[in-house]
C-alpha cells in the first residue's frame, strides 16, 4: 500500500477535488483521503466563510446566489492553483 501511495504522490501536481451533493460525505471522505496521502484537506465552504467574514447562509441572505457563486468561483480558482491537497467543494 505504501508503494501505491508513493506512486500516487509522485504524480500528484494539483489538488484532488471532491464534488457532490450536500451531505454526500465529501468532507468525511476527503479528510480520510488526505490523511492517507499525507496532504492537507481543505473545505471550500470554510475558506469562503473565512474570506468573506460571513457564514454561507449570510452571504446568500445579503447577496443572493449570484454573489455567493462569484465568491465561490474566485476562491476555488485560487485553491486549485495551489499545491496538492484534497479539496471538498460545496454542495451546490
Amino acid at each position: 500500500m505504501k508503494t501505491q501511495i508513493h506512486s500516487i504522490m509522485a504524480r500528484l501536481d494539483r489538488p484532488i477535488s471532491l464534488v457532490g451533493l450536500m451531505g454526500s460525505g465529501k468532507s468525511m471522505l476527503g479528510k480520510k483521503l488526505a490523511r492517507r496521502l499525507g496532504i492537507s484537506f481543505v473545505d471550500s465552504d470554510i475558506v469562503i466563510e473565512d474570506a468573506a467574514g460571513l457564514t454561507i447562509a449570510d452571504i446568500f441572505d445579503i447577496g443572493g446566489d449570484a454573489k455567493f457563486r462569484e465568491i465561490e468561483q474566485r476562491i476555488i480558482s485560487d485553491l486549485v492553483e495551489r499545491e496538492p491537497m484534497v479539496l471538498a467543494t460545496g454542495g451546490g
Side-chain angles (χ1 to χ4, degrees):
M1 182 60 88
K2 288 189 183 225
T3 304
Q4 290 175 333
I5 291 173
H6 289 300
S7 175
I8 292 168
M9 291 307 299
R11 293 178 285 147
L12 191 61
D13 64 352
R14 67 193 77 191
I16 297 170
S17 300
L18 303 178
V19 179
L21 298 173
M22 183 172 54
S24 64
K26 298 177 301 288
S27 293
M28 188 255 328
L29 177 64
K31 289 174 187 175
K32 288 182 178 186
L33 179 59
R35 192 175 319 114
R36 180 75 146 218
L37 295 174
I39 58 179
S40 61
F41 168 78
V42 176
D43 183 319
S44 66
D45 282 349
I46 292 172
V47 177
I48 290 166
E49 289 180 337
D50 289 346
L54 298 166
T55 66
I56 299 297
D58 288 341
I59 295 169
F60 272 98
D61 287 345
I62 294 167
D65 184 70
K67 186 62 176 176
F68 174 75
R69 298 298 169 203
E70 174 189 320
I71 295 168
E72 179 184 50
Q73 191 274 329
R74 187 170 16 105
I75 295 291
I76 291 175
S77 291
D78 177 58
L79 289 170
V80 298
E81 295 299 323
R82 295 186 184 179
E83 71 280 349
M85 68 177 77
V86 177
L87 172 64
T89 63

